[in-house]
Amino acid sequence: MQRSAIIKDFEQLGQILLSASTEINEVMLQASKINNWFTKENSTLSFHAFGHLLTEKNLSEWLNHYPNLPVDNKNQKTIGLILAGNIPLVGFHDVLCVLIAGHKAMIKLSSQDNLLIRFVLEKLVSINPEWKDEIIFTDRLANFDAVIATGSNNTARYFDYYFGKYPHVIRKNRNSAAVLDGKESETELKNLCSDIFTYFGLGCRSVSKIYVPEDYNFSPLFDASYHFKEIDSHFKYKNNYDYNRTLLLMNKAEHLANEFLSIAENTSFQSPISVIYYEKYSDLNTLKHYLKENSNSLQCLVSSLEIENSIPFGSTQQPGLMDYADGVDIPKFLENLQ
């Protein structure tokens, strides 16, 4: 398929994702029943995020970075995809990369998101039936040429064992962090809270750890968090809040809390749902060095300070087509397959 035709098809798909059709609303409702974290609001957020990305301009500019894609049929490969399911459509970017590169996508869906991606790809086939031969859904990968697998640190060991002999990209746990200096504006703190609470904090791009000065006052951050107070009306989030707050109290762990968020001191990057970990720093340059050394554990770093590879508050959940999970350039990986 020619590049221009591929771009046209995905642009039409983007328009569908931005629509509020009865069919889309129905599949979102079904998905929310299977996975209660997939609220209609969160599914809509994901649909619209991809809808805004899939334009002729965005796709053309993206593909201009990869002059050898898409491949011709004689060099076409079958790429096994093991998708995550922590937030709606989280694996779609991998599928997009494979299909737009001219390869076949052999997809093992997560049980937590087995409706939305299937629905979106069915819409792609309805736009152009030629895509039907390029998409394979399977419960077990077989007869593939390369693998892109996303999971936890534990499943990564399993993936390494089974797929290590193939060309592969295997992702592990990552989290996102923020560095504050106490001079942030109310708007910046509100945007940081968006980075924290969007998708209930379940995504690798969700901020789960903050670094603050020794004398940091948490009150403005808590004040900003009340813009997201409605999150405590979701029963699973509320249950997690109650459970994790109880653990903090039982363990007599020093922490701060309101009705829906706890903030506790901890060196880990990964915090439980409804909890944000923090560490204090006395020297920013020392912290910068530490974060650089541990960059493989971080998906996003947000700050208003001059820190390498940091992004503005409020932008973690707005990745572009060039923002690759774990920083691995998937089209380049596909371009280099022989």
Side-chain angles (χ1 to χ4, degrees), residues 37-47 88 197-200:
W37 294 113
F38 284 19
T39 62
K40 185 177 184 296
E41 292 76 15
N42 281 348
S43 292
T44 300
L45 187 62
S46 290
F47 270 57
F197 291 114
T198 300
Y199 299 117
F200 300 107

Side-chain angles (χ1 to χ4, degrees), residues 75-258:
N75 291 321
Q76 186 183 57
K77 308 294 184 183
T78 298
I79 313 301
L81 295 169
I82 300 177
L83 304 185
N86 49 320
I87 65 175
L89 296 184
V90 69
F92 180 71
H93 191 260
D94 282 342
V95 178
L96 171 66
C97 290
V98 170
L99 294 179
I100 213 160
H103 297 299
K104 288 191 176 185
M106 178 180 286
I107 304 167
K108 185 182 187 303
L109 294 169
S110 167
S111 61
Q112 298 300 304
D113 186 7
N114 58 12
L115 284 183
L116 298 181
I117 288 181
R118 189 185 297 272
F119 171 83
V120 170
L121 293 178
E122 286 172 353
K123 288 300 164 189
L124 180 63
V125 172
S126 72
I127 292 168
N128 184 346
E130 289 185 42
W131 288 109
K132 185 174 183 180
D133 293 332
E134 311 305 314
I135 300 167
I136 305 163
F137 290 104
T138 183
D139 292 327
R140 184 180 180 86
L141 297 187
N143 302 317
F144 52 86
D145 299 298
V147 174
I148 302 170
T150 303
S152 64
N153 291 344
N154 288 332
T155 57
R157 289 192 289 268
Y158 166 87
F159 294 154
D160 275 324
Y161 177 79
Y162 282 98
F163 305 127
K165 64 182 179 181
Y166 301 94
H168 61 270
V169 174
I170 295 176
R171 302 193 184 101
K172 302 178 182 180
N173 286 345
R174 285 211 180 197
N175 297 278
S176 296
V179 179
L180 311 180
D181 67 354
K183 300 176 183 178
E184 289 76 22
S185 67
E186 180 181 351
T187 297
E188 287 175 321
L189 291 177
K190 183 180 176 181
N191 288 339
L192 170 60
C193 288
S194 176
D195 294 328
I196 291 170
F197 291 114
T198 300
Y199 299 117
F200 300 107
L202 291 168
C204 64
R205 302 182 68 89
S206 302
V207 170
S208 56
K209 176 71 172 282
I210 59 176
Y211 292 90
V212 299
E214 293 283 354
D215 59 349
Y216 186 75
N217 176 15
F218 284 94
S219 294
L221 178 57
F222 272 112
D223 290 342
S225 75
Y226 277 94
H227 291 281
F228 299 86
K229 186 182 183 304
E230 70 277 3
I231 199 170
D232 70 355
S233 64
H234 188 274
F235 75 99
K236 293 196 76 169
Y237 182 91
K238 181 62 173 174
N239 288 345
N240 274 271
Y241 170 82
D242 291 340
Y243 174 78
N244 289 313
R245 179 81 195 284
T246 299
L247 286 181
L248 290 168
L249 291 169
M250 290 178 61
N251 293 327
K252 298 182 179 179
E254 187 174 336
H255 67 283
L256 302 169
N258 57 22

